[in-house]
């Protein structure tokens, strides 16, 4: 379908952009012609009968200019990061290797050289040298579980449980009021946010696939973002948009969607192993066996949660033995038998520490299978978007629970059960292995040039000696000076290189204003009985009292500008008379 919007046909001559006229375009095609004349194509289904207002997400001229500019983001084919401390990976020793006052050579999209001197000899004449003195050069972080489209609902889920999230913010609930524009700009802004935080690779569980237009909007935004993304289309019938219809659209996008730099890999997500009609599930299985997508991902909790998409669930379908990487998100109730199956088939889980602690998933055994684990962010509408925070939280969560086991035996801990190196590897190399991409999440010759450069002289990092500890325990997003993906700068000198980012901000804020107004007017659900019919009733945890004197300090949610939305109404707490 051709869109009526007219946009400029642009050309790139070195780094200058000239307009050549106007033609209609499809959002999935970018008509950029280089001077070489090469073309560059740079369940609650019952609530889903509402059709949201149609709102176009068509690109403006500025967004075409973005892609044009991105061709020349790197000023030459080779870049030398000179004088920094490099957190490299030694494949022979299977361990991190720190190179101090060294250099890293990037040629095109790959790491071409590692040196123990800042300015090695024999470099290309046109090389761009970036001074990294006093800086830490890290591999890009790999997020193996994210829902990128939800950016506009940020701060709306601050006090939620998993049930709150599912019934108020998750895919089925949001389908009622999200337009294609909302999906598009939320996905684009969310992936740019991730790039700003040094997340260079995302496994995006795209469950905004309620119809063709909104599915395609998320995919188009993903392609435009410039991030490395495994965009996993979620299959699951929504109203009249059934799995067979989704498969038809999926096949079309595989053939027609542009891959100007190969950064977007269309993959598969499927959660309905126990909910969809058997014929639909088999159709998804047949699709996986036929197309052999790079990645399949599924939510799996277990325990009290009736989301049991475990390796044992998938095993009878004969897909665990395929070359397709399978990532099981959360896996909080993993057992010893399941751990053995994961190891035997070399599939990974994605631990999302902040998410699982925030929503109440809990962690039963995932700390025992970290050799087949990676890290994810999950629903960043509610909390941090960076992998550094996730690694730090998971490190201390694991340390605390293992320390408790010693203390509960009335013993004194004599060693630290988890190291900063292990946390760092979970956020980098383990993510690449989970995706069966050993060239991601590591610094070694031949690996993809996905890199993050930290300012070692920032207030939070000043005085560091161990670069791994500095990143995991002391750094924050503001310390990230440069981010490269495929050898191109996506963040430089502390700022995103995405042209006209202000326009993205304006569109996201307009979307957020509309969506947040709708959500804030909805009454909070009351939870009683059982969750989705499982034999587990709702229960209330002990509510914290954090206020001296009357009341407990829980307070209200500040969602509205003119009035207050009360949360936990009637829970006033105790009087403090003990003093």
């Amino acid at each position: 379908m051709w869109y009526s919007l007219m946009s400029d046909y642009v050309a790139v001559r070195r780094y200058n952009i000239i307009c050549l006229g106007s033609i209609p375009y499809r959002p999935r095609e970018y008509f950029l012609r280089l001077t070489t004349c090469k073309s560059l194509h740079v369940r609650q289904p019952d609530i889903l009968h509402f059709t949201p207002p149609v709102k176009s997400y068509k690109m403006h001229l500025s967004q075409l200019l973005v892609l044009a500019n991105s061709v020349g983001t790197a000023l030459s084919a080779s870049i030398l990061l000179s004088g920094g401390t490099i957190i490299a990976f030694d494949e022979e020793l299977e361990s991190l290797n720190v190179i101090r006052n060294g250099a890293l050579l990037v040629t095109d999209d790959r790491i071409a050289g590692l040196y123990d001197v800042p300015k090695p000899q024999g470099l290309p004449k046109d090389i761009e040298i970036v001074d990294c003195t006093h800086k830490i050069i890290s591999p890009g972080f790999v997020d193996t579980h994210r829902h990128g489209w939800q950016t506009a609902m940020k701060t709306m889920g601050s006090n939620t449980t998993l049930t709150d999230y599912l019934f108020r913010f998750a895919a089925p609930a949001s389908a009622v009021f999200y337009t294609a524009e909302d999906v598009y700009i939320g996905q684009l802004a969310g992936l740019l946010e991730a790039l700003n935080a040094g997340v260079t690779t995302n496994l995006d569980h795209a469950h905004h696939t309620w119809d063709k237009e909104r599915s395609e909007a998320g995919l188009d935004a993903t392609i435009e973002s410039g991030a490395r993304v495994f965009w996993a289309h979620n299959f699951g019938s929504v109203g009249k948009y059934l799995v067979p219809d989704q498969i038809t659209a999926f096949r079309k996008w595989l053939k027609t969607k542009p891959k100007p730099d190969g950064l977007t890999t269309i993959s598969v997500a499927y959660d309905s192993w126990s909910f969809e009609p058997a014929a639909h599930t088999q159709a998804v299985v047949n699709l996986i066996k036929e197309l052999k997508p790079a990645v399949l991902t599924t939510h799996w909790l277990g325990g009290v949660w009736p989301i049991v998409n475990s390796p044992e669930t998938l095993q009878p379908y004969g897909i665990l033995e395929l070359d397709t990487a399978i990532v099981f998100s959360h896996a909080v109730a993993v057992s010893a038998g399941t751990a053995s199956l994961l190891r035997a088939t070399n599939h990974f889980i994605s631990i999302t520490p902040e998410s699982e602690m925030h929503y109440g998933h809990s962690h039963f055994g995932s700390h025992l299978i970290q050799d087949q684990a990676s890290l994810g962010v999950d629903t960043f509408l509610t909390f941090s978007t960076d992998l550094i925070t996730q690694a730090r939280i998971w490190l201390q969560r694991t340390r605390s629970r293992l320390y408790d086991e010693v203390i509960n035996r009335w013993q004194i801990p004599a060693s630290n059960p988890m190291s900063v190196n292990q946390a760092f590897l979970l956020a980098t190399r383990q993510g690449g292995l989970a995706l069966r991409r050993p060239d991601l999440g590591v610094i070694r010759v031949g690996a993809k040039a996905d890199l993050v450069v930290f300012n070692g002289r920032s207030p939070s990092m000043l005085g560091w000696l161990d670069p791994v500890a500095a990143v995991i325990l002391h750094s924050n997003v503001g310390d990230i000076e440069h981010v490269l993906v495929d050898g191109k700068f996506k963040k430089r000198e502390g700022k995103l290189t995405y042209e006209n980012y202000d326009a993205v901000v304006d569109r996201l804020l307009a979307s957020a204003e509309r969506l947040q107004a709708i959500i804030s007017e909805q009454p909070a659900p009351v939870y009683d009985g059982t969750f989705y019919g499982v034999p587990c009733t709702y229960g209330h945890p002990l509510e914290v009292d954090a206020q001296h004197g009357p009341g407990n300090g829980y307070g209200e949610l500040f969602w509205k500008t003119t009035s207050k939305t009360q949360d936990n109404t009637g829970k006033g707490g105790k009087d403090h008379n003990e003093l």
Side-chain angles (χ1 to χ4, degrees):
M1 166 179 178
W2 287 90
Y3 290 84
S4 59
L5 185 66
M6 303 294 287
S7 185
D8 291 281
Y9 187 33
V10 299
V12 179
R13 180 175 297 159
R14 293 288 293 176
Y15 308 108
N16 299 319
I17 299 171
I18 54 174
C19 296
L20 298 181
S22 293
I23 60 169
Y25 75 95
R26 311 181 200 191
R28 64 174 176 268
E29 294 187 10
Y30 309 99
F31 298 94
L32 291 173
R33 185 155 298 179
L34 305 179
T35 53
T36 58
C37 296
K38 272 189 178 177
S39 291
L40 174 67
H41 282 89
V42 216
R43 166 178 274 277
Q44 304 297 33
D46 55 316
I47 68 172
L48 301 179
H49 301 315
F50 172 81
T51 301
V54 175
K55 198 171 184 180
S56 171
Y57 63 94
K58 305 178 188 71
M59 297 187 301
H60 303 300
L61 168 61
S62 60
Q63 291 171 287
L64 274 176
L65 300 184
V66 168
L67 198 54
N69 285 338
S70 71
V71 174
T73 301
L75 299 180
S76 64
S78 294
I79 301 170
L80 185 74
L81 303 181
S82 172
T85 295
I86 304 165
I87 306 176
F89 188 78
D90 188 322
E91 287 195 309
E92 290 186 6
L93 298 177
E94 289 281 307
S95 65
L96 296 173
N97 176 39
V98 171
I99 303 172
R100 297 182 187 274
N101 195 30
L104 186 155
L105 175 64
V106 173
T107 299
D108 298 325
D109 62 335
R110 298 279 173 175
I111 297 172
L114 292 171
Y115 309 91
D116 57 6
V117 293
K119 293 183 179 179
Q121 301 298 313
L123 296 175
K125 292 182 179 180
D126 62 344
I127 192 169
E128 178 190 0
I129 298 177
V130 178
D131 184 9
C132 291
T133 305
H134 304 302
K135 305 186 194 306
I136 297 171
I137 303 171
S138 164
F141 297 98
V142 182
D143 177 356
T144 54
H145 185 63
R146 176 180 290 260
H147 302 295
W149 57 274
Q150 298 177 322
T151 313
M153 295 187 285
K154 198 169 289 183
T155 75
M156 300 295 285
S158 56
N159 295 336
T160 49
T161 63
L162 182 57
T163 48
D164 285 325
Y165 168 73
L166 292 174
F167 289 120
R168 302 174 76 179
F169 306 108
S174 297
V176 177
F177 44 79
Y178 254 76
T179 66
E181 164 68 6
D182 297 323
V183 171
Y184 172 83
I185 199 62
Q187 181 80 355
L188 179 58
L191 290 174
L192 293 175
E193 179 185 357
L195 282 172
N196 184 65
V199 180
T200 54
T201 298
N202 298 272
L203 172 52
D204 190 89
H205 189 130
H207 53 9
H208 56 78
T209 48
W210 310 302
D211 54 38
K212 292 179 183 178
E213 184 183 12
R214 288 179 287 182
S215 301
E216 191 171 17
L219 177 54
D220 286 336
T222 300
I223 293 169
E224 276 190 51
S225 70
R228 189 182 304 282
V229 183
F230 292 79
W231 184 80
H233 179 293
N234 186 72
F235 291 94
S237 297
V238 180
K240 296 181 179 180
Y241 190 50
L242 304 180
V243 167
D245 304 314
Q246 296 168 8
I247 290 175
T248 299
F250 182 83
R251 289 181 179 277
K252 176 184 174 183
W253 294 328
L254 279 175
K255 295 179 180 179
T256 61
K257 284 296 167 182
K259 300 177 180 62
D261 45 22
L263 292 177
T264 298
T265 302
I266 299 177
S267 299
V268 173
Y270 191 59
D271 289 330
S272 301
W273 300 96
S274 303
F275 297 107
E276 282 284 339
H280 289 180
T281 296
Q282 190 59 53
V284 173
V285 169
N286 293 342
L287 183 76
I288 294 168
K289 289 182 175 180
E290 175 195 347
L291 299 179
K292 297 179 178 60
V295 181
L296 165 66
T297 188
T298 186
H299 289 95
W300 167 39
L301 274 69
V304 300
W305 302 103
I307 307 172
V308 191
N309 300 321
S310 66
E312 289 89 345
T313 302
L314 275 61
Q315 190 173 28
Y317 294 101
I319 56 178
L320 296 183
E321 294 74 24
L322 299 177
D323 291 335
T324 295
I326 304 178
V327 178
F328 297 88
S329 301
H330 309 306
V332 295
V334 63
S335 65
T338 304
S340 296
L341 183 56
L342 286 168
R343 290 180 177 121
T345 55
N346 194 29
H347 296 300
F348 280 66
I349 68 172
S350 179
I351 301 169
T352 61
E354 197 169 6
S355 157
E356 291 153 4
M357 296 169 71
H358 175 104
Y359 289 129
H361 298 56
S362 191
H363 296 112
F364 301 109
S366 43
H367 65 296
L368 301 175
I369 182 69
Q370 295 192 66
D371 55 311
Q372 294 294 137
S374 56
L375 294 180
V377 167
D378 199 10
T379 59
F380 65 101
L381 74 100
T382 311
F383 31 68
S384 313
T385 194
D386 62 290
L387 260 291
I388 301 167
T389 297
Q390 305 310 320
R392 185 177 302 159
I393 288 175
W394 180 244
L395 172 65
Q396 308 298 21
R397 161 71 163 151
T398 302
R399 286 173 167 177
S400 178
R401 70 185 301 162
L402 294 177
Y403 280 144
D404 287 347
E405 292 179 6
V406 176
I407 292 171
N408 289 339
R409 299 195 300 265
W410 290 20
Q411 295 177 314
I412 303 297
S415 60
N416 194 312
M418 185 174 175
S419 73
V420 292
N421 286 15
Q422 291 171 314
F424 184 86
L425 288 169
L426 281 171
T428 54
R429 181 176 185 253
Q430 290 287 106
L433 296 180
L435 302 171
R436 297 193 174 176
R437 287 290 302 271
D439 60 339
L440 300 179
V442 291
I443 291 180
R444 61 168 175 78
V445 174
K448 281 287 190 178
D450 294 358
L451 303 164
V452 178
V453 180
F454 289 85
N455 177 10
R457 294 173 63 89
S458 72
S460 64
M461 300 183 74
L462 193 62
W464 63 272
L465 180 61
D466 182 336
V468 179
V471 169
I472 292 297
L473 294 179
H474 298 279
S475 73
N476 59 64
V477 171
D479 299 325
I480 296 175
E481 195 160 295
H482 308 308
V483 177
L484 291 87
V485 177
D486 236 30
K488 295 182 176 62
F489 282 97
K490 303 298 179 178
K491 181 179 184 178
R492 189 158 192 173
E493 297 180 356
K495 294 184 179 181
L496 290 169
T497 61
Y498 190 94
E499 292 291 333
N500 206 9
Y501 178 67
D502 287 344
V504 176
V505 171
D506 290 341
R507 290 175 70 180
L508 188 281
L509 290 177
S511 171
E513 182 178 7
R514 189 187 72 82
L515 293 171
Q516 292 173 5
I518 294 171
I519 296 169
S520 64
E521 293 299 327
Q522 295 178 342
V526 176
Y527 301 110
D528 194 12
T530 61
F531 178 75
Y532 276 99
V534 299
C536 296
T537 59
Y538 290 99
H540 291 280
L542 175 68
E543 189 170 285
V544 170
D545 186 346
Q547 179 168 300
H548 182 74
N552 65 7
Y554 204 103
E556 68 271 0
L557 293 170
F558 299 102
W559 280 4
K560 298 184 179 180
T561 57
T562 57
S563 62
K564 296 179 179 180
T565 302
Q566 194 69 27
D567 194 25
N568 280 14
T569 304
K571 296 186 178 182
K574 65 177 182 179
D575 290 336
H576 289 270
N577 300 316
E578 62 272 19
L579 299 179

